[in-house]
Amino acid sequence: MPERNGIPPFSVISGRQVFGVLDGNEKKVVDIVESAYRLHGEGDTVNPPSYFLRFPDRPASRIIALPASVGGDNSVDGVKWISSFPGNVANGVPRASAVLILNDHDTGYPIACLESSVISAARTAASAALAAAALTRGHDRPRRVGFLGTGLIARYLHTYLARTGWEFDEIGVHDLNAESADGFRDYLDGAGTTGTITVHPDAESLIRGSDLVVLATVAGTPHIHDVDWFRHDPLVLNVSLRDLAPEIILISTNIVDDVDHCLKADTSPHLAEQLTGDRGFLSGTLFDVLEGRVDLPRDRPLVFSPFGLGVLDLAVAKHVYDELGESGALSVVPDFFHETDRHRKADK
């Protein structure tokens, strides 16, 4: 409902509200993410390069701005501002925190500020679940899954896989932090997991024992180099993007969510491009897979590397905003925009 001068009201949406909309509706979120990917593939989005704010005194940390615009029937513009401070983990605090601003399509005015770590985790997990389903379409789904890295993203990834129909006989877990690995195992037990849960002592045993490998670490440089670990040709969800040495990328079938975005910032595919001097190792994008345009050989590892597009965050955030608006639960900040007259008359 527009305020004076046609300016829309501004709302603040908490993480609790975001979670309340998304939790239990994982299939809907996957559908939203798929629609956003299709709009992106059809050219009905704007997704500029992400901007990385880095700190000389804190080289492991960064804050990233992801501006984007989504077209279609539910168009919206905006930006996600997400920080990654790996040192938080040692203090029992999640690595990432984020806010997201939605802008009105017609006026450009901000209409909402949303807590966005939940949105970011949900869209990441939904993207991976969508890719896993698309990349195994027409084939038996893997029954042995391994999670390398056991933080918030790993938990969301498991939740989205489980709630979109995936079933596992064996679930492997490994983390450099033994306490985190044990905590993830406890989460799996509490989630009603029926498969056998194994905490692996190292990455090698986890990868060799998994047909679906989920990489969800905070690694900044490759630490997995041995191509022999992948001799059984698993499906790899390369969510953390920097675990795999380029040699592993080069022996695999590689699908990305967006070529230009994924091949930058020293991701594993970017390192492979630097090593070879070209992008011939890429087979296509997730949109190509959804459209049936890509041949996916089964005699080599299959790696999905999602850089994470701002359009996905906006699409999910707009869904949250709309759902809360329809339920009357939006928390509007009165008079957030103060100067709303171009020529304010002087007080008499």
Side-chain angles (χ1 to χ4, degrees):
M1 184 71 66
E3 290 185 337
R4 60 186 181 278
N5 294 351
I7 297 173
F10 182 79
S11 300
V12 175
I13 298 173
S14 70
R16 181 183 294 274
Q17 289 179 298
V18 172
F19 182 82
V21 172
L22 300 181
D23 185 48
N25 293 298
E26 288 77 13
K27 291 181 179 179
K28 175 65 176 177
V29 178
V30 172
D31 288 343
I32 292 169
V33 165
E34 178 176 354
S35 295
Y37 271 130
R38 290 187 180 278
L39 286 170
H40 186 66
E42 293 162 0
D44 200 7
T45 64
V46 180
N47 204 108
S50 303
Y51 180 82
F52 287 72
L53 177 62
R54 300 187 184 277
F55 315 98
D57 62 325
R58 293 157 288 167
S61 301
R62 63 188 185 271
I63 306 178
I64 312 171
L66 290 82
S69 176
V70 181
D73 297 332
N74 202 18
S75 56
V76 69
D77 313 317
V79 62
K80 181 175 75 170
W81 181 242
I82 180 166
S83 65
S84 174
F85 279 55
N88 288 347
V89 176
N91 297 319
V93 178
R95 169 187 60 85
S97 59
V99 295
L100 186 148
I101 301 295
L102 291 179
N103 293 77
D104 179 58
H105 176 273
D106 295 326
T107 66
Y109 269 79
I111 55 175
C113 176
L114 301 88
E115 195 284 332
S116 196
S117 64
V118 175
I119 289 172
S120 190
R123 67 85 153 144
T124 299
S127 168
L130 172 66
L135 293 169
T136 56
R137 188 173 297 136
H139 299 269
D140 292 336
R141 286 184 168 183
R143 303 287 300 188
R144 302 184 303 165
V145 63
F147 291 88
L148 184 58
T150 56
L152 178 71
I153 296 299
R155 173 162 59 84
Y156 267 76
L157 280 162
H158 173 266
T159 298
Y160 269 75
L161 289 169
R163 293 184 181 178
T164 55
W166 288 75
E167 297 179 350
F168 301 108
D169 299 325
E170 300 177 26
I171 301 178
V173 175
H174 175 68
D175 198 291
L176 293 177
N177 184 318
E179 184 178 348
S180 180
D182 290 340
F184 191 66
R185 180 188 57 195
D186 292 343
Y187 151 74
L188 292 171
D189 283 334
T193 300
T194 57
T196 301
I197 303 170
T198 301
V199 177
H200 289 261
D202 51 47
E204 178 181 358
S205 64
L206 179 133
I207 292 170
R208 289 186 184 274
S210 304
D211 300 312
L212 172 60
V213 178
V214 179
L215 301 178
T217 76
V218 296
T221 56
H223 57 98
I224 300 172
H225 298 269
D226 194 334
V227 298
D228 192 59
W229 296 4
F230 298 83
R231 188 178 294 275
H232 57 302
D233 302 327
L235 170 60
V236 181
L237 301 179
N238 184 29
V239 175
S240 42
L241 285 175
R242 295 173 178 85
D243 298 89
L244 301 175
E247 291 79 9
I248 295 170
I249 294 294
L250 294 176
I251 58 116
S252 303
T253 298
N254 290 281
I255 302 296
V256 297
D257 58 353
D258 182 279
V259 174
D260 290 332
H261 282 77
C262 195
L263 271 67
K264 63 174 55 176
D266 289 334
T267 65
S268 295
H270 187 208
L271 295 178
E273 180 188 28
Q274 295 175 49
L275 183 65
T276 62
D278 62 50
R279 299 178 172 184
F281 59 88
L282 293 180
S283 295
T285 66
L286 180 56
F287 177 67
D288 294 327
V289 174
L290 294 172
E291 292 290 297
R293 300 174 181 170
V294 181
D295 180 38
L296 299 173
R298 300 291 160 174
D299 59 350
R300 66 187 69 171
L302 177 54
V303 178
F304 174 60
S305 299
F307 191 79
L309 302 177
V311 295
L312 307 182
D313 296 284
L314 286 194
V316 175
K318 185 60 162 53
H319 169 69
V320 171
Y321 175 83
D322 289 342
E323 288 292 303
L324 292 174
E326 291 178 9
S327 69
L330 280 178
S331 178
V332 175
V333 180
D335 298 320
F336 183 81
F337 301 107
H338 176 63
E339 289 285 5
T340 59
D341 295 322
R342 293 186 64 218
H343 304 292
R344 182 159 58 97
K345 295 180 180 180
D347 294 334
K348 294 183 178 180

